[in-house]
Amino acid sequence: MSSPTLRQALRRPRYLLGGWPWRAAFYLLSGVPAGLALLAAVLLLAVVGGALTFVLVGLPLLLMLALIGIPVAAVERYRLRLLDPAPLVDPHRTPGRPGLQAWLRTRLGERVTWREFGFALLFACVLWPVDGLVAGSVLVVCGGLLATPVVMAAVTDGEEVRVLKLYLADSYPQAFALALLGLVLLPLLAYPLGWAAVARGALTRRLLSAAPSEADARIEELGRSRKRLVDAFEAERRRIERDLHDGAQQRLVALSMTLGLARLEGPAEPLGSLLAKAQEEAGVVLVEIRELIRGIHPQVLTDRGLAAAVEDLADRSAVPVDVDLDLAERLPQPVETAAYFAVCEALANVAKHSGASLARVTGRADGERLTVEVRDDGRGGAGTAGGSGLQGVADRLSVLDGHLIISSPPGGPTVFRLDVPCSPAHLVE
Amino acid sequence: MLRIVLAEDSVLLREGLIGLLERFGHRVVAGVGSAGELTGAVTEHRPDIVVTDVRMPPGFSDEGLRAAVALRRTTPRLPVLVLSQYVQRSYAEELLDTGDGTGVGYLLKERVGKVEEFVDALQRVADGGTVVDPEVVRQLLRHRRDPLSRLTAREQEVLALMAEGRSNASVAEALTVSEGTVSKHFGSILTKLDLTVTDATNRRVLAVLTYLRK
């Protein structure tokens, strides 16, 4: 928002007050000398190069003509920043080896070089006259009208003046009326001027930006399929958790209840102690299933969100854990899940390897990004190498365009820091 | 005999529980399978106690718990026993926070296997008692584990000097900080040790006592 483009500025009421109309005019007008010089250069190179081809001297000149699009495009990209502060990326590759030959080979082999050549020809023959005509006529019309009284006083000593070669004014009131007309036209014409610059800029941007390559499209598709895989994996986790909860867990509770009732009804020994033993075992299995379900997907994460789920983790941790998560509202579900399992893994590492006596989980979400930090006072030396669980965490976060940074110098302290974009708009993508 | 409204979406468990409760001479006046039906059944039957599951239709989230909390808000004296599959401090705390905390229970579902204990707990809740599953109590206690560990090194220093019987001015001098800083530290110590008694001198003693007990 801090640096708007001309297109955005045109839609705002303050367009006329900012320097935008002048920037648009400057953008269009500055193309004129550049285009003229280019036209001259193109003609010169073509004619001289062509004429001298038979003595071979002309060939380098023709080569220069073919490459003329490269500097032209560079200048045009630079000029575009008058309208749009976001730079247009230079799509040229860096040659693999140093030297002129490698450079020439790379450039001549690139499609973009030829597109730039085409653009240079278009610029030399069509674009700059149009630019000049549009901006020039606005300035000439307004300027001419505004200057009427001055011209009348200076040139003809108040007798008469022919305005824009069209209209003959022969008195001061008339001249001032024309100047007033110019003053009114100036803001009105600033809009078409702005839109002309926007159109010219858009055309340049379109012709000179890097064409999305097939590889880019493939990478994008890979990213999407990776996201789908993680989603499918998550859905499967939920399904397993639900099946265990609604199936095995409920049946075991019912079994335990039946065994309990049987103990009430039955004779004391030896059946009673057998029933007690069976019930005890059912109890052990229930505890195991409960822990298993919680590890697959904790209900509290779904119900109460990340902060409550992390507090729950902290409650269960062998190492004391302080939790300070400042999350005003619920985060998108994939973010909550990924962050939860990241903290889970980090705390498991703290308990298993760090020798720490205290860990601390802190986190903030500002609507754009979620950052969570797990810090311990242990001996350090943790990393994602060796296919550890931390690598899995990093992979999972990267699917959401997030990062995991681990700092764990020998002697500690270990700091896990994760950072995930969490605006809903980002996730729709 | 207690008149009970029972909410449990698993038919197997619901039927089992009805059988169990009736075996002990209680009457399940309504056995329902969703949180919405639960609220309706309570309005209709005015039971002595409500027994409900946490996870229920339509969302299979914590609807049962939410319904129980809502019922306790509209009818603070209504005894509610929540049967849960989760050892979850936050769920239990939410329930205990309703009304004046009497006549509520949070038990793990597997406790129904110990039939007599379960029915006993049910009776205690109906009589206005508070029953919390031992597993959950353990978690509640662990959560409150060593409150001193929450203090920063500086705050512990301040508290140690106070335990020597020093005044704020003397503590400030010993640590070469201002008296204002000391009282700020002391305020944060009180918050972290959950000492909310209003009398300031009394809090000072309590904070020191906590320190000495470690």
Side-chain angles (χ1 to χ4, degrees):
Chain A
M1 276 320 213
S2 52
S3 46
T5 66
L6 175 61
R7 187 191 286 270
Q8 290 164 343
L10 269 162
R11 297 213 169 92
R12 292 183 195 167
R14 296 173 55 90
Y15 166 66
L16 293 171
L17 298 177
W20 284 109
W22 301 109
R23 282 171 89 147
F26 181 69
Y27 175 71
L28 291 174
L29 285 179
S30 63
V32 175
L36 255 174
L38 176 65
L39 181 61
V42 167
L43 288 175
L44 196 72
L45 287 171
V47 172
V48 178
L52 295 181
T53 313
F54 67 98
V55 286
L56 296 180
V57 185
L59 286 180
L61 293 179
L62 287 180
L63 187 63
M64 277 172 71
L65 178 62
L67 294 175
I68 201 165
I70 297 172
V72 170
V75 171
E76 280 294 284
R77 284 194 195 94
Y78 185 75
R79 273 188 347 112
L80 256 187
R81 295 168 73 163
L82 277 170
L83 312 182
D84 184 348
L88 196 57
V89 183
D90 183 354
H92 288 292
R93 273 179 293 147
T94 316
R97 277 175 295 137
L100 183 64
Q101 210 183 344
W103 185 83
L104 275 176
R105 188 168 307 196
T106 309
R107 286 293 170 267
L108 290 175
E110 281 176 325
R111 202 141 38 124
V112 62
T113 306
W114 300 104
R115 284 209 343 208
E116 287 174 347
F117 178 62
F119 175 82
L121 292 186
L122 186 70
F123 186 21
C125 304
V126 182
L127 293 181
W128 71 264
V130 176
D131 291 351
L133 201 68
V134 171
S137 54
V138 169
L139 292 182
V140 166
V141 167
C142 294
L145 287 171
L146 282 169
T148 312
V150 181
V151 174
M152 189 182 252
V155 181
T156 59
D157 212 13
E159 288 281 310
E160 55 171 33
V161 66
R162 193 169 277 277
V163 182
L164 302 175
K165 307 211 163 157
L166 286 175
Y167 181 82
L168 191 70
D170 52 10
S171 70
Y172 274 112
Q174 263 189 1
F176 279 106
L178 287 169
L180 196 66
L181 180 66
L183 209 61
V184 173
L185 273 179
L186 196 61
L188 289 181
L189 290 177
Y191 279 93
L193 181 74
W195 284 115
V198 166
R200 168 70 160 84
L203 178 72
T204 310
R205 187 168 275 273
R206 198 180 160 89
L207 291 175
L208 295 185
S209 60
S213 70
E214 225 168 87
D216 289 343
R218 266 181 61 102
I219 288 170
E220 212 165 284
E221 174 50 30
L222 273 175
R224 273 200 296 269
S225 79
R226 208 158 69 127
K227 217 169 244 180
R228 283 198 298 273
L229 268 177
V230 169
D231 287 349
F233 173 69
E234 208 41 59
E236 189 67 358
R237 275 183 102 109
R238 296 290 185 90
R239 193 187 62 75
I240 293 170
E241 183 255 354
R242 211 168 37 238
D243 285 358
L244 279 173
H245 179 95
D246 295 342
Q249 207 177 17
Q250 307 279 14
R251 279 176 189 282
L252 266 168
V253 170
L255 170 69
S256 172
M257 191 162 60
T258 310
L259 287 171
L261 280 172
R263 281 174 68 193
L264 278 186
E265 309 296 342
E269 291 305 318
L271 195 58
S273 61
L274 279 176
L275 285 173
K277 192 160 183 295
Q279 201 179 20
E280 205 172 293
E281 274 168 19
V284 172
V285 177
L286 268 169
V287 172
E288 277 177 15
I289 288 192
R290 194 168 60 220
E291 287 307 302
L292 183 68
I293 290 177
R294 215 180 55 80
I296 292 171
H297 193 97
Q299 183 70 17
V300 65
L301 181 63
T302 320
D303 292 348
R304 303 289 149 89
L306 185 60
V310 169
E311 295 224 359
D312 180 53
L313 271 180
D315 283 351
R316 293 160 199 274
S317 166
V319 178
V321 180
D322 274 352
V323 179
D324 176 15
L325 286 174
D326 182 13
L327 314 172
E329 48 196 37
R330 289 294 296 267
L331 303 169
Q333 189 219 315
V335 174
E336 281 192 337
T337 310
Y340 172 81
F341 282 105
V343 173
C344 208
E345 187 64 34
L347 287 180
N349 268 281
V350 171
K352 265 189 268 174
H353 308 302
S354 73
S357 61
L358 184 71
R360 191 171 163 73
V361 183
T362 49
R364 299 280 172 275
D366 63 358
E368 292 287 318
R369 302 190 80 79
L370 165 72
T371 48
V372 179
E373 198 176 272
V374 182
R375 177 186 286 267
D376 69 46
D377 60 357
R379 68 175 78 94
T384 52
S388 70
L390 291 173
Q391 184 62 58
V393 166
D395 289 348
R396 194 165 180 161
L397 289 169
S398 83
V399 171
L400 299 171
D401 291 331
H403 309 278
L404 175 69
I405 299 166
I406 302 172
S407 149
S408 187
T414 301
V415 180
F416 298 87
R417 194 188 170 80
L418 68 91
D419 178 354
V420 200
C422 63
S423 64
H426 179 86
L427 288 152
V428 170
E429 176 63 39
Chain B
M1 184 200 76
L2 294 172
R3 296 173 64 254
I4 302 166
V5 166
L6 170 68
E8 163 63 65
D9 63 305
S10 155
V11 179
L12 181 76
L13 271 185
R14 191 165 70 220
E15 293 306 318
L17 277 168
I18 292 175
L20 186 154
L21 292 166
E22 287 181 347
R23 159 78 177 65
F24 282 86
H26 300 305
R27 202 153 76 80
V28 177
V29 290
V32 298
S34 76
E37 289 173 275
L38 168 63
T39 316
V42 170
T43 325
E44 190 189 332
H45 294 284
R46 311 235 151 254
D48 300 322
I49 183 168
V50 170
V51 178
T52 178
D53 187 10
V54 171
R55 178 146 126 174
M56 275 206 286
F60 294 97
S61 166
D62 56 352
E63 280 89 344
L65 184 77
R66 292 199 182 281
V69 169
L71 282 171
R72 291 271 301 171
R73 292 217 190 289
T74 51
T75 325
R77 295 265 151 225
L78 178 71
V80 171
L81 174 62
V82 171
L83 294 178
S84 171
Q85 311 269 53
Y86 314 104
V87 184
Q88 203 75 73
R89 176 170 61 80
S90 53
Y91 293 168
E93 281 176 344
E94 197 168 319
L95 194 64
L96 291 169
D97 279 348
T98 61
D100 53 2
T102 60
V104 283
Y106 185 93
L107 278 183
L108 287 180
K109 252 186 199 174
E110 62 214 52
R111 302 291 172 216
V112 300
K114 301 256 165 70
V115 184
E116 285 165 305
E117 285 173 35
F118 168 64
V119 174
D120 184 48
L122 181 84
Q123 188 67 57
R124 273 188 286 140
V125 172
D127 293 343
T130 309
V131 175
V132 180
D133 197 277
E135 278 297 321
V136 179
V137 171
R138 200 166 303 153
Q139 208 194 17
L140 281 165
L141 287 179
R142 282 182 72 168
H143 181 64
R144 307 240 179 283
R145 127 198 80 198
D146 191 10
L148 287 175
S149 66
R150 282 185 238 150
L151 303 188
T152 65
R154 196 56 186 233
E155 286 161 1
Q156 296 207 11
E157 260 179 308
V158 169
L159 190 53
L161 289 168
M162 283 179 174
E164 289 173 14
R166 290 174 187 244
S167 67
N168 278 11
S170 159
V171 173
E173 200 183 287
L175 298 175
T176 56
V177 294
S178 76
E179 228 181 298
T181 312
V182 172
S183 55
K184 223 170 71 192
H185 280 312
F186 183 57
S188 124
I189 290 169
L190 291 179
T191 318
K192 288 185 182 176
L193 297 184
D194 291 334
L195 296 174
T196 48
V197 190
T198 41
D199 185 318
T201 40
N202 189 15
R203 284 203 291 181
R204 194 173 173 105
V205 172
L206 285 174
V208 167
L209 279 177
T210 312
Y211 174 75
L212 294 176
R213 262 193 231 115
K214 96 173 156 169

